[in-house]
Amino acid sequence: MTVTGYLVISVIVILALVIFIPAGFILWMYYVDSRQEEHSVLRNFPVLGKIRYIVEKIGPELRQYLYNNDNEGKPFSRNDYQHIVKAGKYNERMIGFGSMRDFEEEGYFIRNTLFPKQRKELKIDNGQKIKTKVYKIDNENLFKRKEHRIDVEVDPYYLTDDEAIIIGEQTCKYPFKLKGLVGQSAMSFGALGDRAITALSRGLGLAGGTWMNTGEGGLSKYHLKGGVDIIMQIGPGLFGVRTKDGQFSWEEFKLKSEIEQVKAFELKLAQGAKTRGGHVDGEKVTPEIAEMRNIEPWKTVDSPNRFNEFDSPETMFDFIERLRDVGGKPVGIKIVVGDIDSLENMIAIMANSGKGPDFITVDGGEGGTGATYQELADSAGLPIKSALLIVDELLRKYEIRDRVKLIASGKLVTPDRIAVALAMGADLVNVARGFMISVGCIMSLQCHTNNCPVGVATTHPKLQKALSIEEKLYRTCNYVISLRSGLFNLAAACGIDSPTKFEKKHIIYKDKKGKVYSVDDSNQLSKTVKT
């Protein structure tokens, strides 16, 4: 064949690739869409309508990366996300030039003192250094970032022994002593994949002074891999402590309570974003998860929205008493505050009977979830700031605040938010999505689909390959240490020597008009504060 022939054939091939094939595809798309009956816009505008759906599909990504400013975006802003990533990757919280917070908006502020505590005056136990890994940036420009990971020894920022929080000190054979105020909130194996759970366990174990809540899915071998202290959650589905037909198994509970890493148990009455029974899509229920939960594999699981074992405060307290007697370890409950009258009735019964939980986890309505209905996530349950104040004040009203530890949960992902929660009455704080981000979550909002693109909220083996346990465990460790360090910074600013001493007097509320309100005045606060 001559050179001219080759040129002619090449031109024809190029025309086919550039013109005829795309044109044929567009005509085929026009033909199909103009005859379908499901979508009106495609029926009238087959090609333009398709573009509309494509743009709509990538809308969340466009908003997240292009259109939202740094303080916009839900459930977390870009600033929130970057603060978490920086803390985990670089063990760094420094910023330059000034705050991005909108100071014209209403909100809570820390009341700093004129004469803060110096570092040497703080009650910090930094005797045992932690060997971790952080990234160091070598060069960064518009098109590339060059960085490398280095080994470092960091201070753990533990509480001193006399400031440590002890759960069940007067009620249990084996009380739970905590040298840190921040732990991982409930996240089940099944909602998260085994690599994510393992990275979290190992990272938290390396950091020490913290805990890991199993979530209602039960205790897995991945939760135990890091040697971290465990709070085993028991939900209405009784996963991990049930018989095959769904009844509570005292034998299984006794076995779990004998595991040294398991330090406490938590009965989940409700969760902030999911005031209902738990849900796990069938494709997430692998044979391994099914065996752990004692359920059928590959079948969607919807657990009951309350326990069958009790239906009143009195019967619940009797159940808790037996759990404590059999297991010898603290037992708490997780609640969402909504019906304040019922809550007060429960606390009154606690005061009169001398019974009740060793700790109460208060989950705000803004809390996260792997899967729930929109109407429950958006509207059922009070936000954490309102809820926490109510529970703390009711416990004080009935003079039993010293008997119960309060754990707060609900978007408390930075030291300042945690400090506000501690000042409002929390003894400890749970974090879930902050730790998810520390192991790679990019907030793609795919938790309920098993299609998490970064391998965090999925059990899919191929997708989980994206998550490097050996890399992410150090980010988890760094993140929790950074939170503890930040709490001591704020404690010093308030003139107290430990974050365990935050009180309502250390925070203040400012409205949009610039008027401020003391959180000490609860009656005034309830009338004026919007969270």
Side-chain angles (χ1 to χ4, degrees):
M1 185 178 291
T2 64
V3 174
T4 303
Y6 279 117
L7 289 174
V8 170
I9 293 174
S10 298
V11 170
I12 293 172
V13 170
I14 291 171
L15 287 173
L17 291 173
V18 175
I19 298 175
F20 298 131
I21 292 178
F25 175 75
I26 291 172
L27 288 172
W28 172 81
M29 186 170 59
Y30 186 98
Y31 176 82
V32 171
D33 286 344
S34 64
R35 283 161 175 76
Q36 57 80 40
E37 298 180 353
E38 183 179 358
H39 303 288
S40 299
V41 69
L42 291 181
R43 191 171 176 85
N44 282 340
F45 306 98
V47 178
L48 291 176
K50 187 71 74 176
I51 294 173
R52 174 196 179 277
Y53 283 111
I54 291 172
V55 174
E56 182 183 52
K57 183 70 174 176
I58 63 174
E61 286 78 12
L62 292 175
R63 288 187 290 274
Q64 181 177 1
Y65 296 114
L66 296 178
Y67 301 129
N68 283 338
N69 68 42
D70 287 345
N71 283 326
E72 291 178 334
K74 299 293 184 182
F76 294 100
S77 69
R78 186 180 291 115
N79 263 337
D80 291 332
Y81 180 82
Q82 289 177 342
H83 289 326
I84 297 167
V85 171
K86 282 177 62 179
K89 193 172 183 181
Y90 307 105
N91 193 22
E92 179 63 74
R93 298 184 314 284
M94 286 287 185
I95 63 169
F97 199 66
S99 172
M100 297 285 285
R101 179 174 181 173
D102 186 349
F103 289 93
E104 298 301 315
E105 290 296 315
E106 58 191 6
Y108 291 93
F109 292 84
I110 307 294
R111 301 178 71 171
N112 61 294
T113 182
L114 291 176
F115 304 100
K117 293 287 185 183
Q118 295 185 348
R119 176 65 178 263
K120 63 184 179 181
E121 297 177 292
L122 297 176
K123 290 187 174 181
I124 308 174
D125 180 359
N126 281 331
Q128 176 185 345
K129 305 300 181 185
I130 294 177
K131 294 181 179 180
T132 183
K133 297 178 186 290
V134 299
Y135 281 88
K136 183 176 178 60
I137 298 176
D138 302 309
N139 184 36
E140 184 175 20
N141 55 47
L142 183 61
F143 297 104
K144 71 175 182 178
R145 172 190 292 170
K146 187 176 181 181
E147 57 187 358
H148 66 282
R149 198 166 68 162
I150 59 174
D151 295 312
V152 294
E153 285 192 352
V154 300
D155 292 327
Y157 289 92
Y158 295 140
L159 302 171
T160 56
D161 286 335
D162 61 324
E163 293 293 325
I165 304 295
I166 303 177
I167 302 176
E169 186 173 16
Q170 305 299 326
T171 60
C172 301
K173 184 178 180 181
Y174 304 106
F176 183 17
K177 183 178 180 179
L178 287 157
K179 297 267 285 182
L181 299 177
V182 184
Q184 184 215 285
S185 191
M187 292 191 285
S188 301
F189 171 48
L192 270 58
D194 59 86
R195 289 197 177 202
I197 295 291
T198 300
L200 289 166
S201 175
R202 291 180 60 186
L204 292 165
L206 180 61
T210 184
W211 67 93
M212 185 181 203
N213 191 306
T214 65
E216 66 176 303
L219 182 66
S220 73
K221 62 183 180 182
Y222 306 107
H223 289 105
L224 298 169
K225 283 200 171 183
V228 63
D229 290 340
I230 297 287
I231 296 178
M232 181 177 170
Q233 189 180 86
I234 302 173
L238 306 178
F239 303 126
V241 289
R242 60 179 264 161
T243 61
K244 194 71 176 178
D245 60 353
Q247 301 301 309
F248 187 85
S249 170
W250 289 101
E251 291 76 17
E252 286 294 331
F253 174 77
K254 186 71 165 62
L255 289 173
K256 297 298 189 301
S257 68
E258 291 172 351
I259 298 173
E260 185 178 356
Q261 276 181 249
V262 176
K263 302 297 185 182
F265 294 90
E266 178 182 81
L267 300 178
K268 194 198 90 168
L269 306 188
Q271 176 183 325
K274 186 168 61 182
T275 48
R276 59 182 284 268
H279 171 88
V280 179
D281 197 70
E283 62 179 307
K284 278 191 170 186
V285 186
T286 64
E288 181 181 25
I289 291 169
E291 182 180 2
M292 185 187 78
R293 298 189 180 200
N294 209 0
I295 57 177
E296 295 296 321
W298 310 120
K299 290 186 178 180
T300 296
V301 182
D302 286 289
S303 56
N305 63 359
R306 74 166 180 82
F307 285 84
N308 292 319
E309 285 67 27
F310 48 83
D311 58 3
S312 66
E314 293 90 346
T315 54
M316 178 175 69
F317 295 162
D318 289 340
F319 188 68
I320 288 173
E321 290 289 319
R322 187 175 177 191
L323 290 174
R324 197 185 285 122
D325 289 341
V326 172
K329 295 180 178 180
V331 180
I333 60 174
K334 183 175 186 177
I335 65 170
V336 175
V337 176
D339 185 348
I340 299 173
D341 291 336
S342 294
L343 175 65
E344 183 167 7
N345 178 59
M346 182 190 77
I347 291 174
I349 294 171
M350 287 175 60
N352 293 329
S353 67
K355 299 179 179 179
D358 296 297
F359 64 94
I360 299 175
T361 301
V362 182
D363 200 10
E366 69 271 54
T369 183
T372 193
Y373 298 108
Q374 169 272 322
E375 62 271 19
L376 293 175
D378 286 351
S379 300
L382 291 174
I384 185 58
K385 293 184 180 72
S386 300
L388 193 54
L389 283 170
I390 291 168
V391 177
D392 180 64
E393 288 170 6
L394 285 175
L395 290 170
R396 293 183 187 280
K397 175 181 176 181
Y398 288 90
E399 300 181 345
I400 57 170
R401 181 62 184 87
D402 59 330
R403 278 174 38 189
V404 187
K405 301 302 182 187
L406 287 184
I407 306 177
S409 179
K411 297 182 75 172
L412 305 174
V413 296
T414 55
D416 53 321
R417 295 181 188 179
I418 293 171
V420 170
L422 293 173
M424 286 182 161
D427 297 291
L428 302 162
V429 165
N430 273 337
V431 177
R433 285 170 290 183
F435 283 115
M436 288 178 67
I437 291 171
S438 75
V439 294
C441 169
I442 59 171
M443 301 191 299
S444 66
L445 310 181
Q446 299 295 313
C447 305
H448 61 296
T449 67
N450 206 35
N451 294 320
C452 174
V454 291
V456 177
T458 179
T459 58
H460 195 293
K462 182 179 179 181
L463 292 172
Q464 284 201 76
K465 288 181 180 179
L467 197 157
S468 169
I469 296 171
E470 292 301 321
E471 203 268 344
K472 301 302 184 186
L473 77 89
Y474 293 106
R475 297 202 191 193
T476 300
C477 175
N478 297 336
Y479 176 54
V480 71
I481 291 172
S482 180
L483 292 177
R484 297 194 300 229
S485 171
L487 285 175
F488 275 102
N489 276 350
L490 289 170
C494 289
I496 52 178
D497 57 18
S498 171
T500 60
K501 295 176 180 175
F502 278 116
E503 299 178 38
K504 292 182 178 69
K505 66 182 181 181
H506 294 121
I507 56 174
I508 199 165
Y509 182 83
K510 182 197 78 71
D511 67 17
K512 288 186 177 181
K513 296 180 179 179
K515 189 174 182 180
V516 295
Y517 303 90
S518 171
V519 183
D520 279 325
D521 186 350
S522 58
N523 292 326
Q524 184 185 39
L525 187 74
S526 64
K527 294 176 183 177
T528 58
V529 173
K530 296 178 181 178
T531 52

